[in-house]
Amino acid sequence: MKAVIAMYAYFFTSGGWRVRVWQEFVLGMPLLRLEVPVKLNQRRCRHIRRWLERCGVHQLLNRPKHWPETETLPPLNSTRALWITKTPEAAFVLLAQAGVSPARGRIELCANCFTPELAGTVMALADSVRAFSFSCPVPEAFCWQLQRDHGLCPRLGGGTADLSICFSPAQRTHALPLWQERPEISGLRLTAPGLECPVGCPEVPLLAALWAQGRIGTEEVRIRADFA
């Protein structure tokens, strides 16, 4: 097979016994597809690893099952930045599921420290929600800005909330957890209507890869309730 160049790759488990590799394109983005058998011996794993190196793969959309720890693979791509960008929309969906309108919503921000991503999330929600509380120290100038521009007086030290947006690990009943590189948010999923996802390719990591490369816009990515 002729060598190809692709930053991302994904694995698809087939019923055969051979490893098959070929290149696909999604919205112009090169993508390496590797069809692998259920059982992988060490020789096959080394063969796969060499193909990934040869094809310039830096990140994976998924990993094959039963991969030996002795054979190093590129890291999984992160979906966190995309989820953070879509946090306001996700927050509105979660509030609606709880029977709370955004205008009456009390939002808690959980984090180990104040960060630009936390500040951006607050400002994106400031015109739509009722109140904010913070579990981390917040700059006084930021609090003044919220009060001056949006009429909000944030509470420090946490408090009663309809939804907690967590940038660090926290035990909350109704939460939007964003601290992992691949956030797992119960009842929600990211999707892009009209996008043809290759069979066997994980959709959300693919969306994150397309978005990171500017091949799909933030407004084209939608939040969908998913209780399957």
Side-chain angles (χ1 to χ4, degrees), residues 128-141:
S128 303
V129 302
R130 176 184 175 184
F132 289 110
S133 60
F134 296 85
S135 67
C136 65
V138 179
E140 184 176 348

Side-chain angles (χ1 to χ4, degrees), residues 5-225:
I5 301 298
M7 178 179 291
Y8 298 98
Y10 72 97
F11 290 86
F12 178 79
T13 302
S14 68
W17 58 274
R18 298 180 60 184
V19 175
R20 303 177 64 194
V21 183
W22 66 87
Q23 190 177 37
E24 300 172 325
F25 289 89
V26 179
L27 299 183
M29 183 183 75
L31 187 62
L32 201 68
R33 175 186 176 97
L34 295 96
E35 285 201 7
V36 298
V38 176
K39 294 183 179 181
L40 291 168
N41 57 37
Q42 194 164 25
R43 183 181 63 83
R44 283 175 174 165
C45 290
R46 289 175 180 173
H47 176 71
I48 291 170
R49 182 169 54 81
R50 285 195 296 268
W51 262 112
L52 293 174
E53 293 174 353
R54 183 178 177 185
C55 296
V57 172
H58 299 298
Q59 293 183 322
L60 300 178
L61 303 187
N62 64 1
R63 291 179 182 271
K65 295 182 180 179
H66 312 300
W67 186 267
E69 296 182 0
T70 54
E71 296 295 330
T72 304
L73 283 174
L76 293 172
N77 73 318
S78 175
T79 62
R80 185 173 184 264
L82 180 56
W83 270 112
I84 289 175
T85 301
K86 302 300 293 185
T87 291
E89 187 178 341
F92 297 153
V93 173
L94 291 175
L95 286 172
Q97 290 175 356
V100 179
S101 67
R104 297 181 60 83
R106 296 165 297 178
I107 306 296
E108 178 190 18
L109 283 301
C110 300
N112 292 326
C113 60
F114 188 81
T115 62
E117 58 191 16
L118 185 152
T121 297
V122 171
M123 287 305 178
L125 289 167
D127 287 330
S128 303
V129 302
R130 176 184 175 184
F132 289 110
S133 60
F134 296 85
S135 67
C136 65
V138 179
E140 184 176 348
F142 186 78
C143 293
W144 276 111
Q145 184 180 1
L146 278 176
Q147 187 170 12
R148 181 193 65 204
D149 297 343
H150 306 283
L152 298 173
C153 185
R155 176 180 294 182
L156 304 182
T160 302
D162 299 298
L163 177 67
S164 298
I165 301 175
C166 303
F167 292 91
S168 62
Q171 295 294 327
R172 297 293 188 275
T173 302
H174 197 208
L176 184 57
L178 298 172
W179 63 84
Q180 295 177 319
E181 286 302 316
R182 287 191 164 189
E184 297 180 4
I185 300 174
S186 178
L188 296 184
R189 65 175 297 179
L190 298 173
T191 186
L195 176 67
E196 294 186 8
C197 184
V199 176
C201 181
E203 183 181 17
V204 176
L206 176 62
L207 287 177
L210 293 168
W211 177 79
Q213 289 198 356
R215 298 177 187 273
I216 190 170
T218 302
E219 67 284 353
E220 297 175 77
V221 180
R222 308 289 176 81
I223 299 287
R224 189 174 78 181

